Amino acid sequence: MLKSKMSEALNKQINEELYSSYLYLSMSAYFDNMGLKGFANWMRIQAMEERDHAMKLFDYLLSQGSEVDLKEIKEPQHKWNGIKDVIEATLEHEQHITQCINDLVDIAEELKDRATYNFLQWYIDEQVEEEENAREILDKLELIGDSKDALFMLDKDLAQRVYTPPITQA
Ligand code: OFO
């Protein structure tokens, strides 16, 4: 059984992950309405992965005999000022999530909760990848500049992303 400070913090993180999923779904719809099906696909898969991140926490809490306390998910933003603005917002959001994960690790350390500390290592690695992915798209957008052809190619590229379901949940 987890200490209450730890389980409360993990429950809060479930909400952060579900909000991330909601935010990226909103971004996916925004791209779809712009006719950018590849960007929309990339964001839709991002949203699915965020739900998996929430479920991993959900299952971990249950495996520890702790309570899952689901809260209201806040409404995400619906409009942005173009493609770059969306990806910048994505990077910014991932940096926020990285901070949340680091704070969770601090709590696990403070409570000498080795199991949770170990569990969180997966999220640490995942955050490096998540930030890198957003940065990579931003760099490409920078290179593309005003070229419609290059944007079309990038959109085609992002359409290739496929969702891989997690093998284990906890
Ligand atoms: Fe995009 O991050 Fe979840 O954890």
Side-chain angles (χ1 to χ4, degrees):
M1 182 92 147
L2 299 173
K3 299 229 171 80
S4 63
K5 184 172 180 182
M6 192 76 257
S7 66
E8 273 166 29
L10 292 172
N11 268 297
K12 198 165 159 273
Q13 190 60 28
I14 291 182
N15 194 274
E16 290 278 358
E17 301 290 345
L18 289 176
Y19 171 73
S20 304
S21 183
Y22 224 28
L23 175 67
Y24 295 147
L25 205 52
S26 182
M27 289 174 171
S28 176
Y30 176 78
F31 281 136
D32 201 288
N33 286 334
M34 287 174 86
L36 293 165
K37 300 284 184 194
F39 279 88
N41 171 66
W42 194 93
M43 276 301 174
R44 181 187 279 242
I45 290 171
Q46 194 64 21
M48 288 158 87
E49 287 194 355
E50 295 303 347
R51 187 182 171 278
D52 291 340
H53 298 171
M55 290 312 294
K56 202 173 165 70
L57 288 155
F58 179 96
D59 286 338
Y60 179 71
L61 280 162
L62 293 177
S63 75
Q64 296 293 314
S66 295
E67 274 181 32
V68 167
D69 188 16
L70 298 176
K71 299 275 195 248
E72 192 176 346
I73 304 164
K74 77 172 185 242
E75 185 178 333
Q77 194 174 327
H78 303 286
K79 295 262 174 283
W80 288 268
N81 292 318
I83 308 170
K84 201 163 165 237
D85 189 33
V86 181
I87 307 297
E88 275 169 355
T90 302
L91 178 58
E92 218 170 277
H93 183 68
E94 286 305 329
Q95 286 164 341
H96 160 71
I97 295 293
T98 299
Q99 188 53 54
C100 293
I101 301 294
N102 288 342
D103 291 347
L104 287 172
V105 173
D106 286 348
I107 296 172
E109 267 183 332
E110 173 200 322
L111 299 176
K112 297 194 186 340
D113 182 342
R114 309 283 182 238
T116 306
Y117 180 88
N118 267 352
F119 167 76
L120 290 169
Q121 298 313 300
W122 182 89
Y123 286 86
I124 301 260
D125 294 341
E126 182 69 11
Q127 280 315 115
V128 173
E129 202 185 306
E130 299 270 273
E131 285 193 30
E132 194 187 351
N133 289 343
R135 230 176 264 120
E136 213 178 283
I137 300 177
L138 267 183
D139 289 346
K140 285 182 183 163
L141 285 172
E142 208 60 64
L143 286 171
I144 282 172
D146 291 332
S147 164
K148 289 247 182 321
D149 286 351
L151 181 62
F152 177 75
M153 291 310 289
L154 177 58
D155 192 54
K156 256 182 105 172
D157 193 34
L158 297 179
Q160 302 304 314
R161 186 179 188 188
V162 284
Y163 171 68
T164 317
I167 300 164
T168 50
Q169 290 290 359

